[in-house]
Amino acid sequence: MEVTQANILKTLPQDMLVEILSRVGQNSSDQLFILKSVCKSFLKLSEDPLVFKRLSLDRWRLSPWENPKLIYLFNLCTVFGNRNAIFRLGLIAYFDAKYTELGLNFLKRASNSQLKEDVYVYGLIMFASHQIEAKHISLQILNETFPPVVDAFYGSL
């Protein structure tokens, strides 16, 4: 029996292939798009929610609004819980005067992922607000994430 690429792909569980595709996309969206062109199985499996949840958006500008295909991809990533897409949407909405509260909610949701960059930005925005309660919340958030830095800063006040 001759071993071919199609036979090998049929023997692997689909959830394993989805995991592989999602990890490729997490490291490089360019490599994922190349991988999608390899075979129909990869193209089909690349539509799995896990792939969109992990997809790296670092290659693209902060707002993809000029390209309809990128808007569609960005929206799929947001729907499936991609923390980078949620964070970007939060920044865009927060700095739009009409959607400040919505943006803050998205930033809070992104900061729940415990990635230091997201927590830091959310904490700083909360600290910059004019509400006393928000400042206390932000100091608590920042202290949990960056204890030595906040203690040094807060102790000097």
Side-chain angles (χ1 to χ4, degrees), residues 113-146:
S113 68
Q114 297 300 314
L115 289 168
K116 291 191 178 212
E117 297 88 357
D118 298 353
V119 174
Y120 184 70
V121 170
Y122 177 67
L124 286 179
I125 287 174
M126 291 292 289
F127 188 77
S129 91
H130 297 291
Q131 301 170 1
I132 299 296
E133 183 179 321
K135 289 186 187 228
H136 290 302
I137 292 170
S138 70
L139 284 175
Q140 181 181 3
I141 291 169
L142 290 171
N143 195 30
E144 289 171 2
T145 310
F146 307 98

PDB file of all heavy atoms in Angstrom, residues 113-146:
ATOM      1  N   SER A 113      -8.241  37.884  30.165  1.00  0.00           N
ATOM      2  CA  SER A 113      -7.371  36.833  29.636  1.00  0.00           C
ATOM      3  C   SER A 113      -6.049  36.762  30.394  1.00  0.00           C
ATOM      4  O   SER A 113      -5.264  35.854  30.188  1.00  0.00           O
ATOM      5  CB  SER A 113      -7.092  37.072  28.146  1.00  0.00           C
ATOM      6  OG  SER A 113      -6.287  38.228  27.990  1.00  0.00           O
ATOM      7  N   GLN A 114      -5.811  37.746  31.260  1.00  0.00           N
ATOM      8  CA  GLN A 114      -4.618  37.816  32.096  1.00  0.00           C
ATOM      9  C   GLN A 114      -3.331  38.057  31.314  1.00  0.00           C
ATOM     10  O   GLN A 114      -2.247  37.826  31.832  1.00  0.00           O
ATOM     11  CB  GLN A 114      -4.469  36.566  32.975  1.00  0.00           C
ATOM     12  CG  GLN A 114      -5.591  36.391  33.969  1.00  0.00           C
ATOM     13  CD  GLN A 114      -5.706  37.563  34.941  1.00  0.00           C
ATOM     14  OE1 GLN A 114      -4.721  38.007  35.482  1.00  0.00           O
ATOM     15  NE2 GLN A 114      -6.909  38.064  35.144  1.00  0.00           N
ATOM     16  N   LEU A 115      -3.439  38.491  30.069  1.00  0.00           N
ATOM     17  CA  LEU A 115      -2.237  38.894  29.348  1.00  0.00           C
ATOM     18  C   LEU A 115      -1.845  40.275  29.853  1.00  0.00           C
ATOM     19  O   LEU A 115      -2.674  41.178  29.936  1.00  0.00           O
ATOM     20  CB  LEU A 115      -2.480  38.902  27.840  1.00  0.00           C
ATOM     21  CG  LEU A 115      -2.627  37.512  27.246  1.00  0.00           C
ATOM     22  CD1 LEU A 115      -3.142  37.593  25.829  1.00  0.00           C
ATOM     23  CD2 LEU A 115      -1.303  36.774  27.265  1.00  0.00           C
ATOM     24  N   LYS A 116      -0.595  40.428  30.190  1.00  0.00           N
ATOM     25  CA  LYS A 116      -0.148  41.634  30.882  1.00  0.00           C
ATOM     26  C   LYS A 116      -0.409  42.910  30.095  1.00  0.00           C
ATOM     27  O   LYS A 116      -0.761  43.932  30.679  1.00  0.00           O
ATOM     28  CB  LYS A 116       1.325  41.509  31.251  1.00  0.00           C
ATOM     29  CG  LYS A 116       1.537  40.469  32.318  1.00  0.00           C
ATOM     30  CD  LYS A 116       2.932  40.507  32.878  1.00  0.00           C
ATOM     31  CE  LYS A 116       3.024  39.462  33.965  1.00  0.00           C
ATOM     32  NZ  LYS A 116       3.903  39.824  35.011  1.00  0.00           N
ATOM     33  N   GLU A 117      -0.270  42.870  28.790  1.00  0.00           N
ATOM     34  CA  GLU A 117      -0.494  44.073  27.993  1.00  0.00           C
ATOM     35  C   GLU A 117      -1.942  44.530  28.110  1.00  0.00           C
ATOM     36  O   GLU A 117      -2.220  45.723  28.263  1.00  0.00           O
ATOM     37  CB  GLU A 117      -0.153  43.835  26.515  1.00  0.00           C
ATOM     38  CG  GLU A 117       1.294  43.514  26.252  1.00  0.00           C
ATOM     39  CD  GLU A 117       1.591  42.018  26.345  1.00  0.00           C
ATOM     40  OE1 GLU A 117       0.678  41.225  26.678  1.00  0.00           O
ATOM     41  OE2 GLU A 117       2.740  41.638  26.111  1.00  0.00           O
ATOM     42  N   ASP A 118      -2.876  43.582  28.031  1.00  0.00           N
ATOM     43  CA  ASP A 118      -4.297  43.916  28.097  1.00  0.00           C
ATOM     44  C   ASP A 118      -4.662  44.448  29.476  1.00  0.00           C
ATOM     45  O   ASP A 118      -5.379  45.440  29.607  1.00  0.00           O
ATOM     46  CB  ASP A 118      -5.150  42.684  27.790  1.00  0.00           C
ATOM     47  CG  ASP A 118      -4.922  42.154  26.380  1.00  0.00           C
ATOM     48  OD1 ASP A 118      -4.215  42.811  25.592  1.00  0.00           O
ATOM     49  OD2 ASP A 118      -5.454  41.079  26.068  1.00  0.00           O
ATOM     50  N   VAL A 119      -4.159  43.795  30.510  1.00  0.00           N
ATOM     51  CA  VAL A 119      -4.430  44.222  31.881  1.00  0.00           C
ATOM     52  C   VAL A 119      -3.845  45.604  32.120  1.00  0.00           C
ATOM     53  O   VAL A 119      -4.486  46.471  32.729  1.00  0.00           O
ATOM     54  CB  VAL A 119      -3.855  43.203  32.894  1.00  0.00           C
ATOM     55  CG1 VAL A 119      -3.998  43.703  34.311  1.00  0.00           C
ATOM     56  CG2 VAL A 119      -4.534  41.854  32.731  1.00  0.00           C
ATOM     57  N   TYR A 120      -2.650  45.840  31.617  1.00  0.00           N
ATOM     58  CA  TYR A 120      -1.969  47.125  31.811  1.00  0.00           C
ATOM     59  C   TYR A 120      -2.758  48.270  31.175  1.00  0.00           C
ATOM     60  O   TYR A 120      -3.012  49.293  31.810  1.00  0.00           O
ATOM     61  CB  TYR A 120      -0.562  47.040  31.222  1.00  0.00           C
ATOM     62  CG  TYR A 120       0.283  48.267  31.435  1.00  0.00           C
ATOM     63  CD1 TYR A 120       0.755  48.583  32.703  1.00  0.00           C
ATOM     64  CD2 TYR A 120       0.609  49.097  30.384  1.00  0.00           C
ATOM     65  CE1 TYR A 120       1.536  49.712  32.909  1.00  0.00           C
ATOM     66  CE2 TYR A 120       1.388  50.220  30.574  1.00  0.00           C
ATOM     67  CZ  TYR A 120       1.843  50.522  31.841  1.00  0.00           C
ATOM     68  OH  TYR A 120       2.610  51.642  32.041  1.00  0.00           O
ATOM     69  N   VAL A 121      -3.168  48.091  29.927  1.00  0.00           N
ATOM     70  CA  VAL A 121      -3.918  49.147  29.235  1.00  0.00           C
ATOM     71  C   VAL A 121      -5.252  49.395  29.928  1.00  0.00           C
ATOM     72  O   VAL A 121      -5.635  50.543  30.170  1.00  0.00           O
ATOM     73  CB  VAL A 121      -4.127  48.796  27.745  1.00  0.00           C
ATOM     74  CG1 VAL A 121      -5.107  49.743  27.083  1.00  0.00           C
ATOM     75  CG2 VAL A 121      -2.793  48.821  27.012  1.00  0.00           C
ATOM     76  N   TYR A 122      -5.951  48.339  30.282  1.00  0.00           N
ATOM     77  CA  TYR A 122      -7.237  48.492  30.970  1.00  0.00           C
ATOM     78  C   TYR A 122      -7.040  49.189  32.318  1.00  0.00           C
ATOM     79  O   TYR A 122      -7.782  50.115  32.667  1.00  0.00           O
ATOM     80  CB  TYR A 122      -7.905  47.126  31.164  1.00  0.00           C
ATOM     81  CG  TYR A 122      -9.200  47.191  31.932  1.00  0.00           C
ATOM     82  CD1 TYR A 122     -10.316  47.827  31.396  1.00  0.00           C
ATOM     83  CD2 TYR A 122      -9.311  46.626  33.190  1.00  0.00           C
ATOM     84  CE1 TYR A 122     -11.501  47.902  32.102  1.00  0.00           C
ATOM     85  CE2 TYR A 122     -10.495  46.694  33.906  1.00  0.00           C
ATOM     86  CZ  TYR A 122     -11.590  47.329  33.355  1.00  0.00           C
ATOM     87  OH  TYR A 122     -12.762  47.396  34.059  1.00  0.00           O
ATOM     88  N   GLY A 123      -6.020  48.790  33.067  1.00  0.00           N
ATOM     89  CA  GLY A 123      -5.749  49.417  34.351  1.00  0.00           C
ATOM     90  C   GLY A 123      -5.409  50.896  34.219  1.00  0.00           C
ATOM     91  O   GLY A 123      -5.877  51.730  35.006  1.00  0.00           O
ATOM     92  N   LEU A 124      -4.616  51.239  33.218  1.00  0.00           N
ATOM     93  CA  LEU A 124      -4.263  52.653  33.015  1.00  0.00           C
ATOM     94  C   LEU A 124      -5.474  53.490  32.616  1.00  0.00           C
ATOM     95  O   LEU A 124      -5.629  54.624  33.082  1.00  0.00           O
ATOM     96  CB  LEU A 124      -3.177  52.772  31.945  1.00  0.00           C
ATOM     97  CG  LEU A 124      -1.777  52.363  32.364  1.00  0.00           C
ATOM     98  CD1 LEU A 124      -0.813  52.519  31.191  1.00  0.00           C
ATOM     99  CD2 LEU A 124      -1.298  53.175  33.550  1.00  0.00           C
ATOM    100  N   ILE A 125      -6.325  52.936  31.760  1.00  0.00           N
ATOM    101  CA  ILE A 125      -7.527  53.676  31.360  1.00  0.00           C
ATOM    102  C   ILE A 125      -8.445  53.871  32.563  1.00  0.00           C
ATOM    103  O   ILE A 125      -8.997  54.960  32.768  1.00  0.00           O
ATOM    104  CB  ILE A 125      -8.243  52.958  30.193  1.00  0.00           C
ATOM    105  CG1 ILE A 125      -7.431  53.150  28.907  1.00  0.00           C
ATOM    106  CG2 ILE A 125      -9.660  53.482  30.025  1.00  0.00           C
ATOM    107  CD1 ILE A 125      -7.953  52.385  27.723  1.00  0.00           C
ATOM    108  N   MET A 126      -8.587  52.846  33.378  1.00  0.00           N
ATOM    109  CA  MET A 126      -9.409  52.977  34.585  1.00  0.00           C
ATOM    110  C   MET A 126      -8.794  54.007  35.540  1.00  0.00           C
ATOM    111  O   MET A 126      -9.500  54.801  36.143  1.00  0.00           O
ATOM    112  CB  MET A 126      -9.543  51.626  35.290  1.00  0.00           C
ATOM    113  CG  MET A 126     -10.373  50.611  34.538  1.00  0.00           C
ATOM    114  SD  MET A 126     -12.112  51.042  34.461  1.00  0.00           S
ATOM    115  CE  MET A 126     -12.578  50.773  36.155  1.00  0.00           C
ATOM    116  N   PHE A 127      -7.476  54.013  35.655  1.00  0.00           N
ATOM    117  CA  PHE A 127      -6.800  54.953  36.542  1.00  0.00           C
ATOM    118  C   PHE A 127      -6.965  56.388  36.042  1.00  0.00           C
ATOM    119  O   PHE A 127      -7.096  57.317  36.841  1.00  0.00           O
ATOM    120  CB  PHE A 127      -5.319  54.604  36.654  1.00  0.00           C
ATOM    121  CG  PHE A 127      -4.603  55.414  37.702  1.00  0.00           C
ATOM    122  CD1 PHE A 127      -4.756  55.098  39.044  1.00  0.00           C
ATOM    123  CD2 PHE A 127      -3.797  56.475  37.350  1.00  0.00           C
ATOM    124  CE1 PHE A 127      -4.107  55.840  40.024  1.00  0.00           C
ATOM    125  CE2 PHE A 127      -3.149  57.226  38.321  1.00  0.00           C
ATOM    126  CZ  PHE A 127      -3.306  56.909  39.664  1.00  0.00           C
ATOM    127  N   ALA A 128      -6.982  56.563  34.737  1.00  0.00           N
ATOM    128  CA  ALA A 128      -7.105  57.904  34.161  1.00  0.00           C
ATOM    129  C   ALA A 128      -8.527  58.451  34.250  1.00  0.00           C
ATOM    130  O   ALA A 128      -8.738  59.644  34.040  1.00  0.00           O
ATOM    131  CB  ALA A 128      -6.651  57.885  32.704  1.00  0.00           C
ATOM    132  N   SER A 129      -9.493  57.603  34.581  1.00  0.00           N
ATOM    133  CA  SER A 129     -10.869  58.096  34.687  1.00  0.00           C
ATOM    134  C   SER A 129     -10.974  59.016  35.898  1.00  0.00           C
ATOM    135  O   SER A 129     -10.159  58.977  36.819  1.00  0.00           O
ATOM    136  CB  SER A 129     -11.857  56.937  34.793  1.00  0.00           C
ATOM    137  OG  SER A 129     -12.085  56.596  36.117  1.00  0.00           O
ATOM    138  N   HIS A 130     -11.995  59.833  35.902  1.00  0.00           N
ATOM    139  CA  HIS A 130     -12.138  60.832  36.969  1.00  0.00           C
ATOM    140  C   HIS A 130     -12.938  60.309  38.159  1.00  0.00           C
ATOM    141  O   HIS A 130     -13.202  61.061  39.083  1.00  0.00           O
ATOM    142  CB  HIS A 130     -12.804  62.093  36.407  1.00  0.00           C
ATOM    143  CG  HIS A 130     -11.977  62.754  35.359  1.00  0.00           C
ATOM    144  ND1 HIS A 130     -10.784  63.392  35.642  1.00  0.00           N
ATOM    145  CD2 HIS A 130     -12.127  62.845  34.025  1.00  0.00           C
ATOM    146  CE1 HIS A 130     -10.258  63.859  34.538  1.00  0.00           C
ATOM    147  NE2 HIS A 130     -11.056  63.541  33.536  1.00  0.00           N
ATOM    148  N   GLN A 131     -13.293  59.046  38.139  1.00  0.00           N
ATOM    149  CA  GLN A 131     -14.069  58.477  39.234  1.00  0.00           C
ATOM    150  C   GLN A 131     -13.119  57.854  40.262  1.00  0.00           C
ATOM    151  O   GLN A 131     -12.236  57.081  39.908  1.00  0.00           O
ATOM    152  CB  GLN A 131     -15.030  57.417  38.715  1.00  0.00           C
ATOM    153  CG  GLN A 131     -16.007  57.942  37.687  1.00  0.00           C
ATOM    154  CD  GLN A 131     -16.779  56.813  37.024  1.00  0.00           C
ATOM    155  OE1 GLN A 131     -16.599  55.655  37.346  1.00  0.00           O
ATOM    156  NE2 GLN A 131     -17.645  57.186  36.102  1.00  0.00           N
ATOM    157  N   ILE A 132     -13.324  58.198  41.514  1.00  0.00           N
ATOM    158  CA  ILE A 132     -12.478  57.684  42.594  1.00  0.00           C
ATOM    159  C   ILE A 132     -12.555  56.161  42.658  1.00  0.00           C
ATOM    160  O   ILE A 132     -11.535  55.488  42.821  1.00  0.00           O
ATOM    161  CB  ILE A 132     -12.887  58.305  43.955  1.00  0.00           C
ATOM    162  CG1 ILE A 132     -12.718  59.818  43.929  1.00  0.00           C
ATOM    163  CG2 ILE A 132     -12.114  57.672  45.101  1.00  0.00           C
ATOM    164  CD1 ILE A 132     -11.292  60.276  43.762  1.00  0.00           C
ATOM    165  N   GLU A 133     -13.758  55.620  42.531  1.00  0.00           N
ATOM    166  CA  GLU A 133     -13.936  54.169  42.608  1.00  0.00           C
ATOM    167  C   GLU A 133     -13.145  53.467  41.499  1.00  0.00           C
ATOM    168  O   GLU A 133     -12.532  52.422  41.732  1.00  0.00           O
ATOM    169  CB  GLU A 133     -15.418  53.811  42.501  1.00  0.00           C
ATOM    170  CG  GLU A 133     -15.694  52.335  42.654  1.00  0.00           C
ATOM    171  CD  GLU A 133     -17.177  52.030  42.559  1.00  0.00           C
ATOM    172  OE1 GLU A 133     -17.986  52.808  43.091  1.00  0.00           O
ATOM    173  OE2 GLU A 133     -17.505  51.009  41.938  1.00  0.00           O
ATOM    174  N   ALA A 134     -13.139  54.036  40.297  1.00  0.00           N
ATOM    175  CA  ALA A 134     -12.401  53.436  39.183  1.00  0.00           C
ATOM    176  C   ALA A 134     -10.905  53.450  39.459  1.00  0.00           C
ATOM    177  O   ALA A 134     -10.192  52.513  39.092  1.00  0.00           O
ATOM    178  CB  ALA A 134     -12.717  54.167  37.883  1.00  0.00           C
ATOM    179  N   LYS A 135     -10.409  54.487  40.119  1.00  0.00           N
ATOM    180  CA  LYS A 135      -8.978  54.547  40.440  1.00  0.00           C
ATOM    181  C   LYS A 135      -8.595  53.444  41.414  1.00  0.00           C
ATOM    182  O   LYS A 135      -7.553  52.812  41.285  1.00  0.00           O
ATOM    183  CB  LYS A 135      -8.614  55.919  40.997  1.00  0.00           C
ATOM    184  CG  LYS A 135      -8.657  57.006  39.939  1.00  0.00           C
ATOM    185  CD  LYS A 135      -8.173  58.316  40.465  1.00  0.00           C
ATOM    186  CE  LYS A 135      -8.414  59.366  39.402  1.00  0.00           C
ATOM    187  NZ  LYS A 135      -7.333  60.216  39.125  1.00  0.00           N
ATOM    188  N   HIS A 136      -9.448  53.194  42.389  1.00  0.00           N
ATOM    189  CA  HIS A 136      -9.162  52.122  43.345  1.00  0.00           C
ATOM    190  C   HIS A 136      -9.198  50.759  42.655  1.00  0.00           C
ATOM    191  O   HIS A 136      -8.349  49.904  42.920  1.00  0.00           O
ATOM    192  CB  HIS A 136     -10.153  52.160  44.510  1.00  0.00           C
ATOM    193  CG  HIS A 136      -9.978  53.325  45.417  1.00  0.00           C
ATOM    194  ND1 HIS A 136      -8.797  53.585  46.086  1.00  0.00           N
ATOM    195  CD2 HIS A 136     -10.820  54.324  45.760  1.00  0.00           C
ATOM    196  CE1 HIS A 136      -8.921  54.685  46.795  1.00  0.00           C
ATOM    197  NE2 HIS A 136     -10.139  55.165  46.615  1.00  0.00           N
ATOM    198  N   ILE A 137     -10.157  50.580  41.769  1.00  0.00           N
ATOM    199  CA  ILE A 137     -10.242  49.321  41.018  1.00  0.00           C
ATOM    200  C   ILE A 137      -8.993  49.141  40.165  1.00  0.00           C
ATOM    201  O   ILE A 137      -8.409  48.061  40.118  1.00  0.00           O
ATOM    202  CB  ILE A 137     -11.516  49.283  40.138  1.00  0.00           C
ATOM    203  CG1 ILE A 137     -12.761  49.205  41.022  1.00  0.00           C
ATOM    204  CG2 ILE A 137     -11.478  48.115  39.160  1.00  0.00           C
ATOM    205  CD1 ILE A 137     -14.057  49.403  40.266  1.00  0.00           C
ATOM    206  N   SER A 138      -8.568  50.212  39.503  1.00  0.00           N
ATOM    207  CA  SER A 138      -7.400  50.105  38.620  1.00  0.00           C
ATOM    208  C   SER A 138      -6.140  49.791  39.417  1.00  0.00           C
ATOM    209  O   SER A 138      -5.313  48.995  38.994  1.00  0.00           O
ATOM    210  CB  SER A 138      -7.209  51.378  37.799  1.00  0.00           C
ATOM    211  OG  SER A 138      -6.789  52.438  38.623  1.00  0.00           O
ATOM    212  N   LEU A 139      -5.980  50.408  40.572  1.00  0.00           N
ATOM    213  CA  LEU A 139      -4.811  50.115  41.396  1.00  0.00           C
ATOM    214  C   LEU A 139      -4.820  48.656  41.860  1.00  0.00           C
ATOM    215  O   LEU A 139      -3.782  48.008  41.899  1.00  0.00           O
ATOM    216  CB  LEU A 139      -4.747  51.055  42.603  1.00  0.00           C
ATOM    217  CG  LEU A 139      -4.288  52.468  42.297  1.00  0.00           C
ATOM    218  CD1 LEU A 139      -4.383  53.348  43.540  1.00  0.00           C
ATOM    219  CD2 LEU A 139      -2.868  52.470  41.755  1.00  0.00           C
ATOM    220  N   GLN A 140      -5.989  48.162  42.179  1.00  0.00           N
ATOM    221  CA  GLN A 140      -6.106  46.758  42.581  1.00  0.00           C
ATOM    222  C   GLN A 140      -5.735  45.840  41.413  1.00  0.00           C
ATOM    223  O   GLN A 140      -4.970  44.884  41.577  1.00  0.00           O
ATOM    224  CB  GLN A 140      -7.524  46.465  43.051  1.00  0.00           C
ATOM    225  CG  GLN A 140      -7.732  45.043  43.513  1.00  0.00           C
ATOM    226  CD  GLN A 140      -9.173  44.795  43.943  1.00  0.00           C
ATOM    227  OE1 GLN A 140     -10.027  45.669  43.852  1.00  0.00           O
ATOM    228  NE2 GLN A 140      -9.432  43.591  44.395  1.00  0.00           N
ATOM    229  N   ILE A 141      -6.252  46.144  40.210  1.00  0.00           N
ATOM    230  CA  ILE A 141      -5.952  45.339  39.018  1.00  0.00           C
ATOM    231  C   ILE A 141      -4.455  45.369  38.718  1.00  0.00           C
ATOM    232  O   ILE A 141      -3.827  44.331  38.502  1.00  0.00           O
ATOM    233  CB  ILE A 141      -6.750  45.862  37.801  1.00  0.00           C
ATOM    234  CG1 ILE A 141      -8.234  45.576  37.978  1.00  0.00           C
ATOM    235  CG2 ILE A 141      -6.231  45.248  36.502  1.00  0.00           C
ATOM    236  CD1 ILE A 141      -9.102  46.295  36.957  1.00  0.00           C
ATOM    237  N   LEU A 142      -3.887  46.567  38.714  1.00  0.00           N
ATOM    238  CA  LEU A 142      -2.458  46.704  38.403  1.00  0.00           C
ATOM    239  C   LEU A 142      -1.585  46.072  39.481  1.00  0.00           C
ATOM    240  O   LEU A 142      -0.558  45.471  39.178  1.00  0.00           O
ATOM    241  CB  LEU A 142      -2.096  48.173  38.212  1.00  0.00           C
ATOM    242  CG  LEU A 142      -2.664  48.818  36.953  1.00  0.00           C
ATOM    243  CD1 LEU A 142      -2.439  50.325  36.979  1.00  0.00           C
ATOM    244  CD2 LEU A 142      -2.059  48.213  35.702  1.00  0.00           C
ATOM    245  N   ASN A 143      -2.003  46.175  40.731  1.00  0.00           N
ATOM    246  CA  ASN A 143      -1.221  45.587  41.825  1.00  0.00           C
ATOM    247  C   ASN A 143      -1.211  44.064  41.743  1.00  0.00           C
ATOM    248  O   ASN A 143      -0.202  43.431  42.053  1.00  0.00           O
ATOM    249  CB  ASN A 143      -1.759  46.046  43.174  1.00  0.00           C
ATOM    250  CG  ASN A 143      -0.781  45.773  44.291  1.00  0.00           C
ATOM    251  OD1 ASN A 143       0.420  45.764  44.069  1.00  0.00           O
ATOM    252  ND2 ASN A 143      -1.287  45.560  45.483  1.00  0.00           N
ATOM    253  N   GLU A 144      -2.321  43.473  41.314  1.00  0.00           N
ATOM    254  CA  GLU A 144      -2.369  42.017  41.168  1.00  0.00           C
ATOM    255  C   GLU A 144      -1.471  41.550  40.019  1.00  0.00           C
ATOM    256  O   GLU A 144      -0.889  40.480  40.073  1.00  0.00           O
ATOM    257  CB  GLU A 144      -3.801  41.551  40.928  1.00  0.00           C
ATOM    258  CG  GLU A 144      -4.685  41.674  42.150  1.00  0.00           C
ATOM    259  CD  GLU A 144      -6.148  41.407  41.849  1.00  0.00           C
ATOM    260  OE1 GLU A 144      -6.478  41.079  40.686  1.00  0.00           O
ATOM    261  OE2 GLU A 144      -6.961  41.550  42.772  1.00  0.00           O
ATOM    262  N   THR A 145      -1.359  42.373  38.988  1.00  0.00           N
ATOM    263  CA  THR A 145      -0.591  41.983  37.813  1.00  0.00           C
ATOM    264  C   THR A 145       0.873  42.395  37.913  1.00  0.00           C
ATOM    265  O   THR A 145       1.759  41.656  37.511  1.00  0.00           O
ATOM    266  CB  THR A 145      -1.210  42.605  36.543  1.00  0.00           C
ATOM    267  OG1 THR A 145      -2.600  42.319  36.537  1.00  0.00           O
ATOM    268  CG2 THR A 145      -0.587  42.021  35.297  1.00  0.00           C
ATOM    269  N   PHE A 146       1.128  43.586  38.443  1.00  0.00           N
ATOM    270  CA  PHE A 146       2.487  44.131  38.538  1.00  0.00           C
ATOM    271  C   PHE A 146       2.768  44.585  39.972  1.00  0.00           C
ATOM    272  O   PHE A 146       2.939  45.778  40.221  1.00  0.00           O
ATOM    273  CB  PHE A 146       2.656  45.332  37.600  1.00  0.00           C
ATOM    274  CG  PHE A 146       2.270  45.083  36.180  1.00  0.00           C
ATOM    275  CD1 PHE A 146       1.017  45.456  35.706  1.00  0.00           C
ATOM    276  CD2 PHE A 146       3.148  44.472  35.308  1.00  0.00           C
ATOM    277  CE1 PHE A 146       0.662  45.229  34.394  1.00  0.00           C
ATOM    278  CE2 PHE A 146       2.794  44.248  33.991  1.00  0.00           C
ATOM    279  CZ  PHE A 146       1.554  44.619  33.534  1.00  0.00           C
TER     280      PHE A 146
END
